[in-house]
Amino acid sequence: MKLELKTLSFKTLFPDYNIHEQELEYGGIPGWGEVSNFFPYKFVCFRKGNNKETAAISLTEIETKSERRMGNMILKYIGTELRFGNRITHIKLKKIEKVYGTPIAIDDDFIDMLRYHYLISPDLFVCIGIKTSNNKLIHMEIINDSELISEIIDVRRKWDIRKKLLETMN
């Protein structure tokens, strides 16, 4: 699977959206993030250290029409067929698994959202979030940096509700 993430820049994609850069940490790794003043922290484009290439994007709680429009432009740019606001049924999840593989973790740490975490390769991690009340896609995180993935992967696995279910059954 090839997603066009490294060249993504919110400043370039959205020149009229008052995008600014700020120092931030992502998964404990310092770098720079492009964020929008219109939707602070719902849209983050992260570059590790002083690198020019995008290492991660996080699109969180994308629910309003304007947020979906912006989010779907990003998803189209990077080359995924998923779209915010689309209903993700059990059948659609099975189709996603054919592309992304079996999730390494599923968590419910957010109110009204299940997140499915996929480790596609050592340098490609995808997380999709589905709103439980309406089964719509409202979250997407993509990381294409092996160091960043290694920093977050163990924590994500600890959150896995399937593991928690097994522990309560024993």
Side-chain angles (χ1 to χ4, degrees):
M1 163 175 275
K2 176 124 171 61
L3 297 175
E4 189 58 44
L5 190 62
K6 291 182 180 187
T7 61
L8 177 64
S9 167
F10 289 175
K11 284 181 170 183
T12 304
L13 199 55
F14 305 108
D16 300 327
Y17 274 72
N18 197 13
I19 306 293
H20 68 277
E21 290 186 38
Q22 66 183 47
E23 264 187 283
L24 57 89
E25 283 189 8
Y26 199 102
I29 294 181
W32 290 89
E34 290 181 351
V35 296
S36 166
N37 286 342
F38 297 119
F39 309 111
Y41 298 102
K42 286 192 172 223
F43 296 89
V44 175
C45 184
F46 178 77
R47 291 185 324 275
K48 189 171 78 171
N50 291 320
N51 200 328
K52 299 271 187 238
E53 293 180 345
T54 298
I57 62 166
S58 177
L59 312 171
T60 304
E61 296 177 349
I62 309 303
E63 298 189 68
T64 69
K65 186 177 180 179
S66 55
E67 291 167 352
R68 283 192 307 269
R69 186 177 332 109
M70 187 174 175
N72 286 337
M73 285 177 66
I74 295 166
L75 296 181
K76 184 178 179 181
Y77 176 89
I78 62 176
T80 181
E81 293 182 16
L82 294 173
R83 294 295 180 262
F84 290 109
N86 284 0
R87 195 170 302 283
I88 308 292
T89 62
H90 180 70
I91 293 167
K92 181 74 172 175
L93 270 176
K94 291 297 177 191
K95 288 180 182 178
I96 290 169
E97 283 187 21
K98 284 184 180 179
V99 176
Y100 293 171
T102 303
I104 60 156
I106 301 170
D107 76 64
D108 62 352
D109 284 354
F110 291 84
I111 296 172
D112 198 25
M113 180 173 36
L114 280 177
R115 294 189 316 166
Y116 296 79
H117 305 270
Y118 301 92
L119 182 60
I120 297 164
S121 68
D123 62 351
L124 184 57
F125 173 87
V126 174
C127 173
I128 64 169
I130 301 170
K131 189 168 185 157
T132 53
S133 61
N134 63 12
N135 293 327
K136 290 187 177 183
L137 179 68
I138 62 168
H139 172 84
M140 189 112 183
E141 174 186 33
I142 303 171
I143 303 171
N144 67 345
D145 178 87
S146 57
E147 179 186 11
L148 190 52
I149 292 168
S150 69
E151 288 294 321
I152 67 160
I153 202 82
D154 290 336
V155 173
R156 303 293 175 94
R157 283 185 171 129
K158 287 178 187 173
W159 293 347
D160 194 346
I161 59 174
R162 297 170 299 184
K163 183 178 175 184
K164 291 176 191 175
L165 286 172
L166 287 174
E167 289 171 356
T168 59
M169 294 171 81
N170 291 332

